[in-house]
Amino acid sequence: MPHTSNDVEVTSWADLQQALFQETWDGRIGRFRSPFVYRGLRTQSWPLTTSLQRLGGEYQLLENHLLRNFRKYARDSALPGASVWNWLALAQHHGLPTRLLDWTYSPYVALHFATDDLEAYDQPGVIWAINYVKTAEFLPPSLREALRNEGSNVFTPELLEPLCTNLRELELLQREPFLLFLEPPSLDARIVHQYALFSLINTAQDTLHGWLEQHPELYFRIIIPAQLKWEIRDKLDQAGITERVLFPGLGGLSRWLHRHYTPTPGQTAQDLLDDQIPG
């Protein structure tokens, strides 16, 4: 996606903090309460395409087959109930191609995913931020009313299920594409630690970046220059935003140690051995 007037280009850690927390003051309650959700990408040029869309071809014809077979073969190991929205969340969580995209309420978690791949440190990264509160204003009337009655701005599977029980019903709620956010059940500690939620468009074919181009008032992007990534990464590690915390278990621990002991340009193995990891 080319640069737009919604892009904020930062040049320092201080600039980044200012950009991450912009428009988060809520004067009604006199507190900082962000209306944004965040998604970090290690490469600025990556679009907001779903894993289903990245399959290519007539991917929309495969969606129901993928989910149906996932439900059939996963029953021995996962029982999220009958709701398709629970099953979609579970499938996305375990890597099945779906129309969902991962987001987080935490700008620092998004920063982690923009800086976790050392092989992309020669490229600028990006943080997408969407105002999920204002986004709810573009929902079909029945969905807006449900959120209003619940006193919420995002859906849970339990809140969405009585309004539409499957993807086809969701598509038929409104002719124009719309975006909603879905909080998944706490399937494991990873979802909890990452402050995770999903975005969902009512059609499989529409892209989120295309939808946002029609609603530029709902988002901004922070462009992270390649030369700033090492500083960001080191400060996130010091703040405890690491794979060890965000991916509880031996897999996350291994990924953290792998990255920590990968030398930067000009570093030696002895330099790394002298670098003590905080407990």
Side-chain angles (χ1 to χ4, degrees), residues 93 185-196 245-249:
H93 182 64
S186 298
L187 300 169
D188 64 17
R190 192 172 89 190
I191 283 180
V192 176
H193 288 208
Q194 293 178 17
Y195 300 92
V245 174
L246 299 179
F247 297 88

Side-chain angles (χ1 to χ4, degrees), residues 42 64 84 112 117 124 164 171 182 235 264 266:
R42 61 198 62 162
N64 286 328
V84 69
H112 168 82
D117 184 358
C164 50
E171 183 172 352
L182 182 69
K235 289 180 176 178
T264 61

Side-chain angles (χ1 to χ4, degrees), residues 234 237-240 242 244 256 260 275-279:
D234 289 342
D237 286 351
Q238 186 175 0
T242 70
R244 181 168 69 93
W256 172 56
H260 188 88
D275 183 15
Q276 296 297 312
I277 300 179

Side-chain angles (χ1 to χ4, degrees), residues 112-113 116 243 247 250-260:
H112 168 82
F113 288 107
D116 67 333
E243 296 88 344
F247 297 88
L250 298 180
L253 173 60
S254 297
R255 288 165 63 178
W256 172 56
L257 291 173
H258 182 182
R259 181 175 55 74
H260 188 88

Side-chain angles (χ1 to χ4, degrees), residues 55-74:
L55 287 177
E58 295 183 302
Y59 58 84
Q60 70 276 10
L61 302 179
L62 304 176
E63 184 176 33
N64 286 328
H65 299 284
L66 284 163
L67 189 58
R68 185 186 70 248
N69 282 288
F70 182 84
R71 294 178 70 164
K72 178 169 65 174
Y73 292 112

